[in-house]
Structure formats: C-alpha cells, structure tokens
C-alpha cells in the first residue's frame, strides 16, 4: 500500500513539473479551454519570438454573425483583448470588452515562423509626415503607436469604421490644431491620411521581420 501511494505521488510530482515547465497550472488550463486570458498571456511571452496565430471562435459584435477563422496577432491590448489582423490586413479588436469588433468564445494560439523584432523611438518636430514615414524600414509588419500634433488641420477628417479597429483616431482641438492618436498604424495608412501635413510628436515604431 505504501509503495502504491509513493508511486501515485511520484506521478503527481512529474505531472506538476511538466505543467510548470510549460508556464504553470493556470496557463495550461487556459490553453486547454482556449480562454482569451490564456491567449493574451502566450502573446505577451512570445510575440517577439514567433508569428502568433489565433484561431478564433466567436461572433461579429456589429452583425452578430458567427466567426471561426485564423488571424495573425499584432499585440495584446488588455488582459482579455488582442489586436489581430485578417488575411487582407484589416485590423480587429478581439476579446471580451465592449470595444471589441470580434466577441470571442474561444481563442486557440499556435506558433508560426520565428521572427526578429525591433522597436525604436522617433521624434517629429514639425516634420513633413510623408517624408518622415517614407524613410521607415520597408517591413509589411511595421506598427506605429503614439500621439501626433498637427498644425493648420481644421479641415482634417478621419472616418471611423465601427466594424474594424481604427489605428488612427482624431481628437479635434482649438485654433486649427488636431491631435492624432496612433495604435499599431502602418506607415502607408499614416501617409495616405496625413501625408499633406506636418506634425510634432513622439512615436514608437515596432517592426517584425520573418
């Protein structure tokens, strides 16, 4: 009886070691249930090492249509929400918050190709936007975040789409000054919408190379 008990305890210990080596009991449990919080945890740990692919089951928050598809993960936004993009490069917020375009039931994470990641800070001091962003590395996975201040922008309008994540949002200000918030925006989109303006601001540019 004692030997049998020791054998059971040994198996439990081995199982605990295996779970711990893969990130802990909670992480293993989240992976098994495909919980969004587990997907966020894996993303935070491995986003700079691998392309992260999320197989999402859920629904379109606007139309309530069912969704089941694979998306490339751009980054985590909160403890339950991911920023993802589809095969056409369209961005979506996927998770459990009210701001999500995709309300998730299950999120299963898999690793893609190995990547290298580079982040840099750039300062704009009344720089021409088209010129400044055209000089950035030509990576299809370059994401820019931060805040820009535009002068003489009283006529600027940026359309907001309810069915997609909006990487550029406009905060109008007085005297022709506009504040632009960027969240994982591409250089091409910034140039297409703001290329006629000069701007001041501090930005973080994150580029991923496969």
């Amino acid at each position: 009886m004692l030997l049998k008990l020791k054998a059971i305890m040994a198996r439990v210990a081995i199982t605990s070691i295996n779970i711990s080596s893969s990130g802990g009991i909670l992480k293993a449990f989240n992976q098994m249930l495909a919980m969004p919080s587990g997907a966020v945890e894996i993303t935070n740990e491995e986003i700079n090492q691998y392309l992260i692919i999320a197989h999402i089951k859920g629904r379109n928050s606007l139309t309530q249509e069912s969704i089941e598809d694979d998306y490339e993960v751009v980054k985590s936004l909160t403890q339950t929400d991911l920023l993802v993009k589809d095969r056409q490069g369209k961005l979506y917020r996927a998770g459990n918050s009210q701001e999500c375009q995709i309300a998730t039931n299950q999120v299963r994470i898999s690793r893609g190709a190995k990547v290298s990641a580079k982040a840099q800070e750039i300062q704009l001091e009344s720089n021409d936007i088209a010129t400044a962003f055209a000089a950035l590395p030509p990576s299809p996975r370059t994401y820019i975040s931060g805040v820009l201040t535009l002068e003489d922008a009283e006529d600027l309008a940026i359309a907001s789409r309810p069915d997609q994540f909006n990487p550029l949002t406009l905060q109008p200000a007085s005297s022709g000054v506009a504040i632009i918030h960027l969240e994982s925006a591409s250089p091409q989109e910034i140039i297409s919408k703001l290329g006629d303006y000069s701007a001041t601001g501090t930005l973080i540019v994150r580029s991923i190379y496969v």
Side-chain angles (χ1 to χ4, degrees), residues 55-59 65-71 87 106:
H55 182 77
I56 295 176
K57 291 183 180 181
R59 71 181 189 280
E65 291 180 305
S66 295
I67 291 175
E68 182 173 357
D69 208 347
D70 291 334
Y71 297 84
R87 294 173 180 84
Q106 290 187 339

Side-chain angles (χ1 to χ4, degrees), residues 11-105:
R11 285 197 295 270
V12 170
I14 292 171
T15 301
S16 298
I17 291 171
N18 289 336
I19 290 175
S20 295
S21 66
S22 65
I25 294 174
L26 181 59
K27 180 178 176 181
F29 186 69
N30 285 345
Q31 284 180 280
M32 181 180 67
L33 296 182
M35 296 177 67
S37 58
V40 169
E41 183 181 359
I42 295 170
T43 295
N44 290 338
E45 291 177 357
E46 302 189 0
I47 192 67
N48 291 323
Q49 304 170 50
Y50 301 93
L51 283 182
I52 304 297
I53 306 300
H55 182 77
I56 295 176
K57 291 183 180 181
R59 71 181 189 280
N60 183 302
S61 298
L62 190 65
T63 66
Q64 299 301 306
E65 291 180 305
S66 295
I67 291 175
E68 182 173 357
D69 208 347
D70 291 334
Y71 297 84
E72 182 179 321
V73 178
V74 175
K75 63 180 293 186
S76 62
L77 294 172
T78 66
Q79 292 183 341
T80 61
D81 293 357
L82 294 171
L83 181 60
V84 301
K85 67 179 181 180
D86 64 14
R87 294 173 180 84
Q88 289 74 46
K90 298 175 182 177
L91 295 175
Y92 303 91
R93 182 169 183 152
N96 299 142
S97 72
Q98 293 183 345
E99 293 83 8
C100 289
Q101 292 81 47
I102 301 176
T104 57
N105 296 325

Side-chain angles (χ1 to χ4, degrees), residues 163-208:
D163 59 331
Q164 295 178 26
F165 181 83
N166 296 284
L168 289 81
T169 54
L170 171 64
Q171 175 189 326
S174 60
S175 304
V177 176
I179 307 297
I180 307 295
H181 294 267
L182 306 177
E183 179 59 79
S184 299
S186 70
Q188 295 80 9
E189 187 168 12
I190 294 171
I191 291 172
S192 69
K193 294 182 177 179
L194 306 176
D196 295 332
Y197 297 91
S198 294
T200 300
T202 301
L203 304 174
I204 300 297
V205 180
R206 180 171 172 267
S207 296
I208 305 296

